[in-house]
Amino acid sequence: MESANGLGYLVAQQLIAAGETVFDVPPVLASRVRVLGSGRSQKNDPNDARSVAIAALRSDRLAQVRPDDHIRVLRMLATRHRDMARLRNKHCTRLHALLMELEPGGIGSEITVNKANQLLSRIIVDGEVTRHRVVIAGELVEDVARLDIALKASKKRIKAAVAASGTTLTDIVGIGPICAAIIIGFTGDVTRFPTKAHFATYNATAPIEASSGDRPRHRLNPRGNRKLNHAIHIAAICQLRYPSEGRTSYDRKTTEGKTSKEAIRALKRRISDRVYRHLIADANKTAIA
């Protein structure tokens, strides 16, 4: 099935529940087969079915789709937490714009519910426009307060779910429950990656070669799973803040002449390799149990 973890997710799970064996055919692979293998570039149902069938027959590295398990739970919780955090940031941005119209400079530091309420209490309502600004700002403050409560509850729920998974990812410096939930949830079955290099390519910590002539050069990989890449980036930044193996590695790279960005990329690759080892060890432990 093409995109069994995407648009074809529901049908794939229904087939598994009915006792069928389902393999996931990546859309990119199917499209290449459609253009190069079949000679028919038009995207329609017959051509799609033929290209997916050819890809399934010729490829020996297709991942078998598994029934939903705890990994799906972690993915849903991580996605929910991210969406609420983004919504809170959006409300804070709008609130900041209103507060700057009410008082020059608004709140100079991080916006919190208490700071916003204190500022609003100082405002003298001297007109209809000011009154509506205060009312709307108050509603945004209530929205932020509600999301703060929801985010605290979400963190507790994610922490409990990560603990229930039995993962050892949280032993890595810089990876807490939320990052662990993102990594586990969006990695899925880690055994589908034969080596740590394949995993690094998937999470975009493996650089892209951009050599020119005799000058070897690599550049940032903008592709891959950006959610995984972001979680690994957070871990790297956390390791740079405190004495750790990551900080030592970063300092060594900069001493060798690497730029700060290049040193961070190298650190992210080291973290990716370690994450892969932990995920494989956790999967083997689960299989034995």
Side-chain angles (χ1 to χ4, degrees), residues 169-180 182-183 199 203 205 226-250 263-275:
L169 281 180
T170 50
D171 294 339
I172 302 175
V173 177
I175 296 182
I178 294 177
C179 282
I182 294 173
I183 292 172
F199 181 65
N203 61 42
T205 55
R226 304 315 302 176
K227 299 177 184 65
L228 277 176
N229 188 275
H230 177 70
I232 295 173
H233 182 79
I234 294 298
I237 297 302
C238 290
Q239 290 190 8
L240 293 181
R241 292 178 179 176
Y242 309 100
S244 62
E245 293 181 6
R247 183 72 214 190
T248 303
S249 174
Y250 173 85
I264 291 177
R265 289 178 204 160
L267 175 57
K268 289 173 66 175
R269 176 58 189 271
R270 285 172 58 91
I271 295 174
S272 171
D273 293 345
R274 189 168 181 182
V275 165

Side-chain angles (χ1 to χ4, degrees), residues 13-90:
Q13 290 299 320
Q14 290 174 338
L15 288 172
I16 293 174
E20 298 291 342
T21 301
V22 181
F23 290 91
D24 183 19
V25 178
V28 173
L29 179 60
S31 65
R32 288 176 180 173
V33 172
R34 184 170 61 249
V35 175
L36 302 176
S38 66
R40 299 183 176 120
S41 61
Q42 296 85 1
K43 184 171 178 59
N44 52 48
D45 289 343
N47 288 345
D48 283 351
R50 187 171 187 271
S51 62
V52 171
I54 293 175
L57 288 173
R58 300 293 175 84
S59 179
D60 57 353
R61 292 177 53 189
L62 295 181
Q64 182 175 345
V65 183
R66 301 178 182 274
D68 282 341
D69 53 13
H70 198 66
I71 292 176
R72 176 63 63 171
V73 173
L74 291 173
R75 181 168 180 166
M76 289 190 296
L77 292 178
T79 301
R80 173 62 176 163
H81 188 85
R82 180 199 63 194
D83 292 343
M84 287 193 295
R86 286 180 175 177
L87 184 59
R88 185 190 185 279
N89 289 338
K90 184 182 295 185

Side-chain angles (χ1 to χ4, degrees), residues 55-162:
L57 288 173
R58 300 293 175 84
S59 179
D60 57 353
R61 292 177 53 189
L62 295 181
Q64 182 175 345
V65 183
R66 301 178 182 274
D68 282 341
D69 53 13
H70 198 66
I71 292 176
R72 176 63 63 171
V73 173
L74 291 173
R75 181 168 180 166
M76 289 190 296
L77 292 178
T79 301
R80 173 62 176 163
H81 188 85
R82 180 199 63 194
D83 292 343
M84 287 193 295
R86 286 180 175 177
L87 184 59
R88 185 190 185 279
N89 289 338
K90 184 182 295 185
H91 287 330
C92 286
T93 301
R94 293 174 177 172
L95 177 60
H96 178 63
L98 275 176
L99 294 179
M100 289 185 64
E101 294 174 354
L102 292 169
E103 182 176 292
I107 298 176
S109 57
E110 181 183 358
I111 292 180
T112 64
V113 173
N114 290 335
K115 292 178 182 178
N117 284 329
Q118 290 174 6
L119 189 150
L120 290 175
S121 65
R122 299 195 302 264
I123 301 300
I124 300 175
V125 179
D126 56 359
E128 194 68 12
V129 174
T130 302
R131 185 177 72 83
H132 279 84
R133 281 175 177 160
V134 171
V135 170
I136 295 175
E139 292 174 349
L140 288 172
V141 171
E142 292 177 357
D143 291 338
V144 172
R146 176 179 56 81
L147 287 170
D148 283 342
I149 296 173
L151 284 169
K152 287 182 181 179
S154 176
K155 288 180 181 178
K156 291 182 180 179
R157 188 166 53 184
I158 289 175
K159 185 177 181 179
V162 169

Side-chain angles (χ1 to χ4, degrees), residues 4-17:
N5 290 314
L7 293 176
Y9 164 75
L10 182 58
V11 176
Q13 290 299 320
Q14 290 174 338
L15 288 172
I16 293 174

Side-chain angles (χ1 to χ4, degrees), residues 180-257:
I182 294 173
I183 292 172
I184 297 172
F186 287 94
T187 297
D189 181 13
V190 68
T191 58
R192 63 194 175 107
F193 302 106
T195 65
K196 61 184 180 181
H198 288 83
F199 181 65
T201 300
Y202 179 72
N203 61 42
T205 55
I208 297 176
E209 186 174 2
S211 302
S212 178
D214 296 332
R215 182 184 178 186
R217 179 174 172 270
H218 294 82
R219 65 178 179 84
L220 178 70
N221 185 356
R223 299 188 288 269
N225 190 305
R226 304 315 302 176
K227 299 177 184 65
L228 277 176
N229 188 275
H230 177 70
I232 295 173
H233 182 79
I234 294 298
I237 297 302
C238 290
Q239 290 190 8
L240 293 181
R241 292 178 179 176
Y242 309 100
S244 62
E245 293 181 6
R247 183 72 214 190
T248 303
S249 174
Y250 173 85
D251 292 338
R252 184 174 63 253
K253 290 293 183 181
T254 53
T255 302
E256 293 173 356

